[in-house]
Amino acid sequence: MNMSLRAFNEMYLNGVRISVSLATLELTAEGTGTRLTVTEQGRFLNGYEDKGACAHATGMLLAELIHTLGATPPAMARAQN
């Protein structure tokens, strides 16, 4: 079974919207396991520059998911900008 989930996010700093993003998580059956593909698209607003904070936060969430599932972290991950 394949599944796709989408999440929209807004970030605020001192009441000012500084970014919006759309994350898509795709789960695809692969052999005896499941492949997780994460695509995140974002835009920074009002002069805010991310400097990697969003990618770091997404990585932390994925690491927590791996830990919660008791899974082995993948040997390789590929990021495309």
Side-chain angles (χ1 to χ4, degrees):
M1 178 172 88
N2 298 333
M3 178 185 289
S4 181
L5 307 165
R6 290 180 182 81
F8 176 76
N9 184 50
E10 296 176 294
M11 286 178 41
Y12 289 82
L13 179 63
N14 298 325
V16 176
R17 186 169 62 170
I18 59 172
S19 74
V20 293
S21 66
L22 174 66
T24 302
L25 286 76
E26 298 174 77
L27 300 165
T28 308
E30 187 171 279
T32 60
T34 303
R35 174 182 292 274
L36 169 64
T37 303
V38 178
T39 304
E40 189 168 18
Q41 303 167 56
R43 190 61 67 201
F44 302 101
L45 311 168
N46 298 311
Y48 181 77
E49 293 185 36
D50 177 61
K51 298 192 184 349
C54 286
H56 179 72
T58 300
M60 288 176 38
L61 289 171
L62 291 173
E64 185 60 30
L65 175 62
I66 290 168
H67 175 75
T68 299
L69 295 173
T72 302
M76 270 168 68
R78 184 178 73 216
Q80 298 177 338
N81 295 326

